[in-house]
Amino acid sequence: MTLKRLEDVLLEEAPGPAASFTMVHVLKAIYLLGAEVSVGRKKLAASIGLGEGAARTIISRLARTGLIETSRAGCALTRGGKRVYSNLAKKASKPTAIRLKNVDFGPEVYTMTVRGGARRIQSGLEQRDAAVRAGAKGVMTLVLKSGQIVMPSISNVDRDHPAFARELRQKIDLRENDAILVASADRGITAEYGVLAAAWTLLNKKRPT
């Protein structure tokens, strides 16, 4: 239930301003604030990629839901916010820029791993569509099953693309049943939005019974 608190940030207040941001901005804010003691409002807005008005709204919403507290020094996670960040960090790695030599991607690439996410993936189309809606060119969705990197319903990457599989293992900490998400875009922040959107489809989905 801890991550469900993130959805409350998107809920509109009447007669407050309508949200001009999405879950990817909320996730990016939580990852950023979780890594630092305090972040100034201008730095937070610039890092998330929001304009001044949208930044004020998301900061207000984060504070209203008890995830952050604000002061002259900037914004910082509350105790409850730290619990949300800790839970998020356990379930999914921080979005990270990566350079891959053995596959043809766009100029900017970001990756995330979702622990246990392999159990929530069907074909990978849901993750691709979420990444595209967030502005990315697309996302490659892979899983680690029985020690093998696999693209669901398409190929065994270890067998068919061994150089790429080796590169992933060298650059990413992989564990059994991980989902590996690799998003590309022309701009770094857009690739990051894409991989966050893809990850949220897995973080926000119940595990099949």
Side-chain angles (χ1 to χ4, degrees):
M1 290 297 293
T2 309
L3 293 184
K4 288 291 185 183
R5 292 188 63 186
L6 296 174
E7 295 180 324
D8 294 339
V9 181
L10 299 179
L11 296 178
E12 292 187 19
E13 289 180 297
S20 54
F21 53 86
T22 67
M23 181 54 68
V24 300
H25 300 103
V26 177
L27 291 170
K28 186 166 169 54
I30 295 297
Y31 272 113
L32 176 63
L33 291 165
E36 300 191 34
V37 175
S38 180
V39 179
R41 294 179 183 227
K42 288 186 178 180
K43 178 181 177 181
L44 182 61
S47 298
I48 297 174
L50 292 174
E52 185 177 341
R56 282 199 301 268
T57 303
I58 194 172
I59 289 170
S60 174
R61 299 283 184 86
L62 287 166
R64 174 176 61 84
T65 52
L67 295 174
I68 70 168
E69 53 190 3
T70 61
S71 66
R72 289 187 177 181
C75 305
L77 293 178
T78 61
R79 182 176 298 179
K82 289 177 181 177
R83 284 197 296 269
V84 171
Y85 168 71
S86 178
N87 191 25
L88 180 61
K90 287 177 183 177
K91 293 177 181 294
S93 65
K94 178 181 177 181
T96 304
I98 190 172
R99 297 294 177 190
L100 296 169
K101 299 177 182 178
N102 293 291
V103 67
D104 184 19
F105 272 124
E108 299 293 337
V109 179
Y110 268 73
T111 184
M112 289 180 72
T113 54
V114 178
R115 304 302 183 195
R119 301 185 183 95
R120 299 177 174 90
I121 290 174
Q122 295 179 342
S123 65
L125 292 178
E126 183 180 0
Q127 290 67 50
R128 183 203 65 186
D129 291 347
V132 170
R133 285 195 298 270
K137 289 186 174 181
V139 67
M140 177 182 290
T141 302
L142 307 168
V143 300
L144 186 67
K145 282 194 171 183
S146 301
Q148 297 286 297
I149 299 175
V150 176
M151 186 178 295
S153 305
I154 297 178
S155 71
N156 182 312
V157 179
D158 275 293
R159 182 192 63 219
D160 301 333
H161 307 282
F164 177 47
R166 284 194 300 271
E167 189 175 19
L168 287 176
R169 284 190 167 85
Q170 290 168 359
K171 296 183 176 181
I172 303 174
D173 175 26
L174 299 181
R175 303 177 192 175
E176 184 69 10
N177 288 318
D178 274 356
I180 307 117
L181 304 167
V182 187
S184 64
D186 291 331
R187 299 170 60 227
I189 194 166
T190 312
E192 189 174 4
Y193 289 163
V195 81
L196 282 166
W200 185 247
T201 67
L202 301 175
L203 293 167
N204 198 34
K205 180 182 291 186
K206 292 181 179 180
R207 181 178 299 180
T209 55

